[in-house]
Amino acid sequence: MSQTGYLIIAISILVGLLIIFMVSFVIYRRTPVPKGCEDIVASEEKCASCSNHTCQFNRDKESE
């Protein structure tokens, strides 16, 4: 196979992956939030007993 054929195959694969990414992103953005997860807030009692120091909620608590 010539170099042009390989180039066309490579470009086709990249375009295909880009299309898959775009379609999956649009589907992800259109998916509704599950019931019960609309207003998730960190609980003070659960955060006090947590030992994960890289948690975003823990960092917010320490900055106050």
Side-chain angles (χ1 to χ4, degrees):
M1 188 181 245
S2 67
Q3 265 188 327
T4 307
Y6 287 123
L7 184 63
I8 290 172
I9 291 173
I11 291 173
S12 303
I13 290 172
L14 289 175
V15 168
L17 289 173
L18 182 64
I19 289 171
I20 290 171
F21 171 75
M22 289 171 44
V23 168
S24 64
F25 184 75
V26 168
I27 291 172
Y28 166 75
R29 296 294 289 174
R30 289 186 180 181
T31 303
V33 177
K35 292 180 182 175
C37 296
E38 294 89 4
D39 299 319
I40 295 180
V41 181
S43 170
E44 287 295 326
E45 61 187 38
K46 288 182 181 177
C47 285
S49 63
C50 179
S51 63
N52 185 359
H53 298 291
T54 60
C55 178
Q56 180 177 351
F57 296 116
N58 194 8
R59 278 188 260 143
D60 290 342
K61 186 176 70 174
E62 289 175 356
S63 65
E64 290 178 351

